[in-house]
Structure formats: C-alpha cells, structure tokens
Amino acid sequence: MRLGRIASPDGVAFVSLEGDPDRPHEMTAREIAEHPFGTPEFTGRSWPLADVRLLAPILASKVVCIGKNYAAHIAEMGGAPPTNPMMFLKPNTAIIGPNVPIQLPANASPVHYEGELAVVISRPCKDVPAARAKDNILGYTIGNDVSARDQQKSDGQWTRAKGHDTFCPIGPWIVTDLDPTDLAIRTEVNGQTKQDSRTSLMIHHIGAIVEWISAVMTLLPGDLILTGTPDGVGPIEHGDTVSVSVEGIGTLTNPVIRKGMS
C-alpha cells in the first residue's frame, strides 16, 4: 500500500494512493478515516491525484537521523566509521513535502543535498530488539537531509546546520510492503546523477538502527528515521532542482531557492 497526505478542496486528509506510480497523474487518492496506523478505514471519498496536492506524507513528532552510515560517504567527508550508529535530530519544523522549495539561508554556504531512505514508525515503542524492528515500522519513504556545511563545521555539532526550516524534504508517499535491504538510491541535481548507491551498503542496517535509537528514546507513531546518505553529496544553489529516487518507492523532487531572491 502507498500512503500519503493530500490537500484537496475539502481539506487535508490521509489517503491510499492507487494506480501506477510511474504515472502519478493517473493515480487515485482514496481518503482514509482519521489516520493510517493499524488497519486503515476508508471514508468512500476519492480524488484523481492530478486534482489534489501531495503534502509531506506524515507529521512526525521528531526526525531521528543516522550519520556516517555508508563507508564511501565517510571516506569522501573524512573520518572513521562509527562503532555504533551515530544519531542526531532534526526538528519537525524542517519537514516539507514534494515540490515545496528548499530555502537556502542567506548566511549559509555551501548547502548540500543528502538523499536517504527514511523509515516511518507505526506505534509507540521502546527497547526494540533488532529482530523485531519491522513489527514497529509502518513503511518507508524518501528523505533529503539538507545540510549547511559551513555551519556544521563552525559549530562543531549539527543542530543548526541541519535544522533550518525546509531542510527535511520527505515523500512523495509511504510504501508499506517493501523490503529495504537492497534498494537502489539515486540523487539528481538538474537531471545530472550525483549519488548512485544501494541500501545494502549501509554499515548499520535498519534493525540495528531501530534498536539503537529505541534504547535511548521512545519512538511514536509517525516518527521518522533517516538512515544515512551514500557518497556523492554536493552543493545545491538557487534555481536548482534536486530529485532523490529510491527503488520501489518513487522520486522526491524539490526546487531550491535562496531566501531573499526571486
């Protein structure tokens, strides 16, 4: 099942998206009553996807990110692979959906894209063993861990560099029936491929990540986990378009603007 959120003339709703994801404008959005957790119930209303606007597919209470999770990315940035998953947080105010502009702060340069597979949590959970991680996962979506590299370097920690509004694009939808162990992940800027890797190259797999995070904090329904980016990160500038694709999910596209420029 593909789950999403839409804005329609009738308001905002969770939906099930049906049809060929390679032809999104021919898909249909079926309204889900209340929320998508558990067994979704449908209201009977639906819209052609072309007649509504896709929003970020989930409203997370927190976004937990994993850094340094691909060896080739660690090599390009410098440093050594961590023994345990290295986690940091993004505020939920950084979340935007498909086609919403990434806004580059006037005082940040360079700002980099980081295409990632994202995990969506299905229910409250704590101290989850790696072997039971999938029992607590609603599905998977695409994330872009946008990062202000100059602020990351100058601050010595990552909150400001990765916490700006619009610095966490996610979408276009959540896929619930997906095996995440070996998926192609690719990032393009203005149609040119910049990142091209596979999730099988993660240092810490998703079960280990969920176990590590949930040992520290309770995860709530809708919480997002960004699982790390492969090599090939680089700058985005005003006027660019960045697209992150994950096999079995689709493509998340966002334009880029510099604050104060038109």
Side-chain angles (χ1 to χ4, degrees), residues 142-164:
I142 302 169
N144 187 349
D145 176 20
V146 182
S147 305
R149 294 295 185 215
D150 58 335
Q151 295 177 2
Q152 188 175 359
K153 181 178 180 180
S154 67
D155 292 359
Q157 52 85 22
W158 301 358
T159 302
R160 180 168 68 122
K162 291 171 175 283
H164 289 277

Side-chain angles (χ1 to χ4, degrees), residues 194-210:
K194 301 294 185 178
Q195 294 182 288
D196 191 2
S197 188
R198 302 195 70 85
T199 59
S200 57
L201 297 176
M202 288 182 188
I203 296 170
H204 304 288
H205 62 78
I206 289 170
I209 290 170
V210 172

Side-chain angles (χ1 to χ4, degrees), residues 67-186:
K68 299 184 178 181
N69 202 27
Y70 288 80
H73 175 56
I74 296 170
E76 74 177 350
M77 299 299 288
T83 301
N84 296 308
M86 191 190 75
M87 65 177 171
F88 59 94
L89 297 172
K90 281 181 177 276
N92 57 12
T93 47
I95 294 172
I96 57 173
N99 304 311
V100 176
I102 299 167
Q103 298 183 35
L104 308 180
N107 64 343
S109 181
V111 175
H112 282 193
Y113 56 82
E114 292 191 7
E116 310 198 8
L117 175 69
V119 178
V120 184
I121 296 299
S122 62
R123 60 187 184 184
C125 58
K126 181 75 168 70
D127 297 321
V128 178
R132 292 183 52 206
K134 66 180 181 180
D135 298 336
N136 300 278
I137 293 173
L138 176 67
Y140 303 88
T141 189
I142 302 169
N144 187 349
D145 176 20
V146 182
S147 305
R149 294 295 185 215
D150 58 335
Q151 295 177 2
Q152 188 175 359
K153 181 178 180 180
S154 67
D155 292 359
Q157 52 85 22
W158 301 358
T159 302
R160 180 168 68 122
K162 291 171 175 283
H164 289 277
D165 289 356
T166 76
F167 271 26
C168 188
I170 61 168
W173 40 64
I174 300 162
V175 177
T176 61
D177 50 350
L178 185 69
D179 180 352
T181 55
D182 186 26
L183 303 174
I185 179 168
R186 185 178 69 255

